[in-house]
Amino acid sequence: MTRTLQRLIDCDVHNAVPSDTALSPYLSARWRRHLELVGSRTYSPFTKGYAYPKAAKFASRHDAWPLSGALPGSDLEFMREQLLDAYPIDYAVLNCLYRAAEQRNDLYGAALARAVNEWQVEHWLERDPRLRASITVPFESPALAAAEIDRAAAHPGFVQVLLFPRTRQPLGRRHYWPIYEAAGRAGLPVGIHAASTTPGPITPAGWPSYYIEDHTALSVAFQAQVISLIMEGAFDRFPDLRVVLLEGGFAWIPSMRWRLDALYARLHEEVPDLEHPPSHYLRHRIRSTTQPMEEPEHPADLVPLLQEIGEDVLMFSTDYPHWDFDNPHRAFQTAVPPDLRTRILNDNAREYYRFTP
């Protein structure tokens, strides 16, 4: 814990809207009244926060609750104390998981997304120069999402568009293309962060019994979305499209790359318009964050895995303030070559998000 830590960029930090009423100043009179009289109607029973794991309420560290009793991630001063000032952080990318996109009323979802973004500007981006943020969008209504991207991207603090991996359709489908077009206009990558928004089962095999099943199966949703984006031709249709996988794991990337290329060699006539083999898109158009850090049984196997994935693919993240937070001092349980370590902790994110030196 005492060893010197180099400068780092944290690509996944969660700021939290302290309450629904905190968004009222950013809503029109029409939607303030809706908030007061109707409120949220979503596909999830957990709209007021994660109901599990019970031992870590709101999926957060026990020590992440401010003394005021506010939600973890809702107090900037407390976040500075526990994260921004505790480690040598150059930039931290905020991913607010407020579920505007989950609203069944599309227009209300769009109003909430705009309110979240304006709240982020006033209470976060304008108060600490190290902070950057993802744009919250109602992604199941792509035209509304594109309009919000066009509006919010005018603020330089926004560096990414935020989507979730459990969607009504696979993200490669044309339905979502207006989002990628707008992200391209703004010069922003699209981040896909672990969360659920639909009424369907959260695993391909149906509803699991245990939280550990849900948490482990998150990576399956990411894999399905990556395959969809590649095979539906989204990367070819939008040459500026860049994708970041947030909290979806990374150890599966090499085996997926091998499998996709092998199947493409046999079945490419089904997708003859692809300009490259699938591995090309996985290697050059997609990045992944490190948390949850996947640790092999033999620690020495981690470095070959990182190199197989690609030295410029992984970007460091802590997932603060969640219970499975990755302490930067402990994230690597084995020695990693200095150049590779620097790339993962800082350089890869700096290049992909186009941060200034």
Side-chain angles (χ1 to χ4, degrees):
M1 289 292 293
T2 59
R3 88 181 153 175
T4 301
L5 187 68
Q6 67 188 80
R7 307 301 304 181
L8 60 91
I9 295 173
D10 189 344
C11 296
D12 189 24
V13 176
H14 297 295
N15 56 334
V17 177
S19 67
D20 291 341
T21 56
L23 298 179
S24 293
Y26 310 101
L27 293 170
S28 67
R30 186 258 190 270
W31 293 117
R32 279 199 302 273
R33 186 168 178 79
H34 186 96
L35 172 64
E36 295 166 0
L37 299 181
V38 180
S40 179
R41 290 194 72 242
T42 76
Y43 294 104
S44 170
F46 308 131
T47 54
K48 296 187 181 301
Y50 292 101
Y52 52 77
K54 189 175 182 179
K57 190 177 180 182
F58 287 91
S60 296
R61 290 165 32 176
H62 291 179
D63 68 341
W65 293 79
L67 295 178
S68 64
L71 293 179
S74 65
D75 185 321
L76 175 56
E77 292 302 323
F78 197 62
M79 182 183 290
R80 284 184 178 132
E81 177 184 334
Q82 287 200 321
L83 181 73
L84 299 176
D85 295 338
Y87 306 99
I89 292 177
D90 286 339
Y91 294 100
V93 180
L94 301 172
N95 293 302
C96 182
L97 300 182
Y98 189 89
R99 296 178 178 227
E102 196 174 311
Q103 298 299 318
R104 300 192 195 188
N105 184 321
D106 292 342
L107 292 177
Y108 183 48
L112 287 176
R114 176 173 180 147
V116 169
N117 294 329
E118 292 185 353
W119 168 81
Q120 290 195 102
V121 169
E122 180 176 353
H123 291 276
W124 299 86
L125 298 181
E126 299 293 342
R127 293 179 58 194
D128 195 305
R130 293 168 292 185
L131 295 179
R132 298 295 184 268
S134 296
I135 300 174
T136 294
V137 296
F139 51 78
E140 296 296 1
S141 301
L144 296 175
E148 179 58 15
I149 294 169
D150 290 338
R151 188 199 68 82
H155 192 287
F158 287 112
V159 297
Q160 184 168 255
V161 176
L162 187 62
L163 310 182
F164 298 161
R166 288 164 173 161
T167 46
R168 297 180 194 171
Q169 302 180 54
L171 284 172
R173 299 295 295 273
R174 290 173 180 268
H175 173 74
Y176 297 102
W177 284 12
I179 295 174
Y180 311 142
E181 187 173 16
R185 287 195 299 270
L188 301 180
V190 171
I192 305 173
H193 191 286
S196 179
T197 63
T198 66
I202 56 179
T203 78
W207 291 99
S209 298
Y210 304 107
Y211 171 70
I212 190 172
E213 295 178 82
D214 181 341
H215 203 60
T216 304
L218 282 171
S219 63
V220 179
F222 282 87
Q223 293 173 57
Q225 299 292 18
V226 166
I227 293 171
S228 175
L229 286 163
I230 292 173
M231 294 305 172
E232 294 279 1
F235 290 110
D236 293 331
R237 177 66 177 81
F238 303 101
D240 294 327
L241 175 60
R242 295 173 289 140
V243 170
V244 181
L245 308 178
L246 299 148
E247 205 173 330
F250 56 83
W252 51 266
I253 292 176
S255 61
M256 171 177 280
R257 190 167 62 216
W258 304 331
R259 182 177 177 84
L260 281 178
D261 274 3
L263 290 172
Y264 178 73
R266 300 179 182 183
L267 302 172
H268 64 272
E269 288 299 333
E270 187 181 18
V271 284
D273 296 328
L274 284 188
E275 297 178 5
H276 306 281
S279 58
H280 173 88
Y281 306 99
L282 271 164
R283 183 65 183 79
H284 298 288
R285 306 290 291 278
I286 296 173
R287 298 293 183 265
S288 180
T289 57
T290 58
Q291 196 285 334
M293 180 63 76
E294 298 182 311
E295 302 171 5
E297 179 181 357
H298 303 290
D301 292 339
L302 177 63
V303 172
L305 172 63
L306 299 178
Q307 293 170 332
E308 178 64 34
I309 291 170
E311 295 193 356
D312 58 350
V313 170
L314 292 180
M315 306 189 301
F316 182 75
S317 61
T318 63
D319 193 32
Y320 178 88
H322 290 167
W323 67 269
D324 48 354
F325 167 83
D326 272 353
N327 186 316
H329 288 285
R330 298 180 178 178
F332 299 99
Q333 294 296 309
T334 188
V336 176
D339 289 349
L340 177 57
R341 185 182 181 87
T342 298
R343 291 205 64 83
I344 293 173
L345 288 177
N346 194 304
D347 293 351
N348 289 342
R350 187 176 298 278
E351 294 171 5
Y352 210 62
Y353 288 116
R354 299 170 182 170
F355 290 143
T356 56

